[in-house]
């Protein structure tokens, strides 16, 4: 039985919006998962580290695949424009999880060098995670393309909530991993200050990305242009107000989601300990 014309048209509009958003949403999630992957390698250890890297590798590949054809096509064209020079950085980004899985057996001094470089890369890409919050501006445009209140409420808004929630949760988990590392090395008093510094740097990064349209890799590909933009545009009244508001939003949401995440992680840890203890009892 065919759908009524009105319903068919609405479903077509919904499908068009979702497929149109699929690539940029998955790409932004991919960039949000990059610092989370790095945090797992930098700050975790043992079986926990290997387990996280396994699943994050899966997520990295899953979120990269919708953009893979576009990225690889541009790389193969080898047109050395600004766009292509940016896209060339995608290859090492995709390979980061694989690289992290195999360098753990390197010599100690090489490990230290790798750790230092990847720590800088981690902070360079960290703003990509809270950046997804600003993608809510696309929601207004999509709402105009769909004329059904029910589909907007039941389909479109939940998709955006899941998208932004996943991206920001990657930020929360990244800093939780950093905090666990600081606690492990006896620097627990640094955690709050480090988190606030991270929020401030991310507020600056979000402004540079959303309003000045810079990317994380512009630190290397266009350092002169980036530095000029920072000097000329970053300290005006409007940018400062925007960054203060962004800092406040990131800080508030981070605190809320951190409490929820830690409670869930603590519950799971207690259940795992309980299961192990029951296994020991049964084996006696």
């Amino acid at each position: 039985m065919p759908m009524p014309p009105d319903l068919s048209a609405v479903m077509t509009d919904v499908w068009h919006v979702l497929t149109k958003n699929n690539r940029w949403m998955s790409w932004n999630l991919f960039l949000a998962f990059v610092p989370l992957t790095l945090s797992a390698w930098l700050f975790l250890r043992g079986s926990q580290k290997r387990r996280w890297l396994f699943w994050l590798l899966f997520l990295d590949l899953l979120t990269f695949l919708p953009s893979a054809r576009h990225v690889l096509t541009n790389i193969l064209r080898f047109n050395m424009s600004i766009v292509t020079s940016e896209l060339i950085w995608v290859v090492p980004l995709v390979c980061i999880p694989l690289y992290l899985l195999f360098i753990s057996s390197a010599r100690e001094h090489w490990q230290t060098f790798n750790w230092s470089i990847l720590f800088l890369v981690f902070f360079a890409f960290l703003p990509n995670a809270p950046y997804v919050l600003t993608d809510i501006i696309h929601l207004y445009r999509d709402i105009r393309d769909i004329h059904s209140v029910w589909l907007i409420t039941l389909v479109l808004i939940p998709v955006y909530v899941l998208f932004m929630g996943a991206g920001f949760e990657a930020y929360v988990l990244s800093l939780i991993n950093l905090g666990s590392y600081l606690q492990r090395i006896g620097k627990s008093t640094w955690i709050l200050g480090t988190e606030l510094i991270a929020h401030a740097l991310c507020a600056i990064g979000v402004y540079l990305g959303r309003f000045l349209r810079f990317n994380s890799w512009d630190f290397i590909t266009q350092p002169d242009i980036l530095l000029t933009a920072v000097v000329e545009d970053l300290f005006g009244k409007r940018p400062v107000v925007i960054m203060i508001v962004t800092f406040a939003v990131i800080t508030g949401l981070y605190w809320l989601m951190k409490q929820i995440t830690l409670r869930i992680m603590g519950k799971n840890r207690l259940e795992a300990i309980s299961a192990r203890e029951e296994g020991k009892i049964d084996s006696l």
Side-chain angles (χ1 to χ4, degrees), residues 187-200:
K187 303 293 183 181
S188 300
T189 55
W190 291 13
I191 293 176
L192 178 59
T194 302
E195 289 176 344
L196 292 176
I197 291 172
H199 300 335

Side-chain angles (χ1 to χ4, degrees), residues 20 26 48 64 76 84-85 96 98 110 126 128 144 158 168 198 215 229 245 247 266 279 283:
K20 180 179 62 176
S26 61
Q48 183 186 30
F64 173 72
L76 290 174
T84 304
S85 66
I96 280 175
L98 289 172
W110 183 242
L126 188 60
N128 289 297
R144 291 185 303 172
F168 197 79
N215 295 296
V245 172
F247 172 80
S283 64

Side-chain angles (χ1 to χ4, degrees), residues 2 9 17 32 56 69 80 105 118 143 149 170 193 208 214 221 278:
V17 168
L56 288 171
R69 182 178 178 182
M80 296 305 294
S105 60
L118 290 176
I143 288 175
V149 175
L208 291 173
F214 285 106
T221 59
E278 290 177 1

